[in-house]
Amino acid sequence: MYVVIVGCGRLGTLLADGLSVAGHDVVVIDRHEASFRSLSPEFSGFRLTGDATEYALLKSAEIERADCLMATCSEDTLNLMVAQVARHVFGVACVLARVHQPAFGAIFKNAGIEIISPTQLALDAFRERLDAGATKRP
Amino acid sequence: MYVVIVGCGRLGTLLADGLSVAGHDVVVIDRHEASFRSLSPEFSGFRLTGDATEYALLKSAEIERADCLMATCSEDTLNLMVAQVARHVFGVACVLARVHQPAFGAIFKNAGIEIISPTQLALDAFRERLDAGATKRP
């Protein structure tokens, strides 16, 4: 599959490396070229430096043929912007966005974007482990 | 259950609010008193301002009778320190720590601390959604 990843922070890097090694075609976009240094030597995809909210940059990433766009930036507003453009301007079928502020979740969902909230996932994991510990006790 | 939460950021706040509303006894610790402003009016636990790596502060949180300690700070090193003290000095049975740097995971595990990595959880979620999207396609 052809996957466009916006943001080459910790999450974006792990996704880009993993998907590239798994045989997918990957383009990773970041505003700062230095961010690409965290990619592993095994990463065989493309690196694009620039602002992913700019139409021209997304065009040069050939986003219209992407199977999936993953917005992984640390700013929710940037992820929302990029995800909406991918979904509604370029018609990308699978658009996934990281969301930090739980309050933003509804806005993304209304825009037809699937959200992944690391905070919510961690919250659920903490609660599950606590419950599991409670049932183990005599 | 009696739960001590270290760090009142986004995750710590959601945990403290949720566990308090669920009927657990909760103490939340943060270095900055202003952090407690994010707690909901329904939070009925205690707030302790100070450095959770200090023995005296953990004593005043009555950590030795805690069923669970949750280290949710944004700094992995702080979480590791607090979690180790809770586990090995105060003998807390259930010690859970948020870890950001995947490379730190092994250190926590060697110290007998369960780790929860929001980045890893998000990574898994992105990969699962991509795979689910792929199987849906004709």
Side-chain angles (χ1 to χ4, degrees), chain A residues 1 3 10-11 14-15 18-19 22 67-68 70-72 94 96-98 100-102 114-116 118-119 121-123 125-127 129-130 134 137, chain B residues 1 3 10-11 14-15 18-19 22 67-68 70-72 94 96-98 100-102 114-116 118-119 121-123 125-127 129-130 134 137:
Chain A
M1 282 198 286
V3 183
R10 197 175 292 144
L11 178 61
L14 289 168
L15 278 169
L19 293 172
D67 296 295
C68 183
M70 299 177 168
T72 75
C94 171
L96 310 174
R98 164 151 86 167
H100 289 277
Q101 292 278 2
E114 274 203 79
I115 60 163
I116 289 162
T119 305
L121 291 169
L123 182 69
F126 269 99
R127 298 283 305 251
R129 305 276 179 98
L130 181 69
R137 247 164 248 136
Chain B
M1 282 198 285
V3 184
R10 196 175 292 143
L11 178 61
L14 289 168
L15 278 169
L19 293 173
D67 296 295
C68 184
M70 298 176 169
T72 75
C94 170
L96 311 175
R98 164 152 84 167
H100 289 278
Q101 291 277 4
E114 274 202 78
I115 60 163
I116 289 162
T119 305
L121 291 168
L123 181 69
F126 270 99
R127 297 283 305 251
R129 305 275 179 96
L130 180 70
R137 246 163 249 137

Side-chain angles (χ1 to χ4, degrees), chain B residues 34-82:
Chain B
S35 303
F36 299 131
R37 282 187 215 140
S38 54
L39 290 165
S40 82
E42 283 74 39
F43 176 75
S44 63
F46 288 93
R47 301 157 178 82
L48 263 180
T49 308
D51 183 347
T53 61
E54 281 180 17
Y55 185 88
L57 192 90
L58 288 176
K59 276 297 277 184
S60 70
E62 296 185 28
I63 194 167
E64 66 277 11
R65 68 174 187 87
D67 296 295
C68 184
L69 176 122
M70 298 176 169
T72 75
C73 300
S74 49
E75 303 103 293
D76 286 348
T77 48
L78 184 55
N79 287 340
L80 181 62
M81 185 70 180
V82 172

Side-chain angles (χ1 to χ4, degrees), chain A residues 3-24:
Chain A
V3 183
V4 176
I5 298 171
V6 179
C8 196
R10 197 175 292 144
L11 178 61
T13 298
L14 289 168
L15 278 169
D17 279 342
L19 293 172
S20 172
V21 167
H24 298 292

Side-chain angles (χ1 to χ4, degrees), chain A residues 3-121:
Chain A
V3 183
V4 176
I5 298 171
V6 179
C8 196
R10 197 175 292 144
L11 178 61
T13 298
L14 289 168
L15 278 169
D17 279 342
L19 293 172
S20 172
V21 167
H24 298 292
D25 293 324
V26 178
V27 170
V28 58
I29 300 172
D30 200 285
R31 275 176 292 189
H32 307 288
E33 199 169 346
S35 304
F36 299 131
R37 283 187 213 141
S38 53
L39 290 165
S40 82
E42 283 74 39
F43 176 74
S44 62
F46 287 93
R47 304 155 175 83
L48 262 180
T49 308
D51 183 347
T53 62
E54 281 179 15
Y55 185 88
L57 192 89
L58 288 176
K59 275 297 277 184
S60 71
E62 296 183 32
I63 193 165
E64 67 277 10
R65 68 173 189 87
D67 296 295
C68 183
L69 175 122
M70 299 177 168
T72 75
C73 300
S74 49
E75 304 103 292
D76 286 348
T77 48
L78 184 55
N79 287 339
L80 181 62
M81 184 69 181
V82 172
Q84 284 190 104
V85 171
R87 186 83 194 82
H88 300 293
V89 178
F90 291 99
V92 178
C94 171
V95 176
L96 310 174
R98 164 151 86 167
V99 176
H100 289 277
Q101 292 278 2
F104 273 34
I107 302 172
F108 280 82
K109 282 181 187 164
N110 286 342
I113 297 153
E114 274 203 79
I115 60 163
I116 289 162
S117 162
T119 305
Q120 186 62 49
L121 291 169

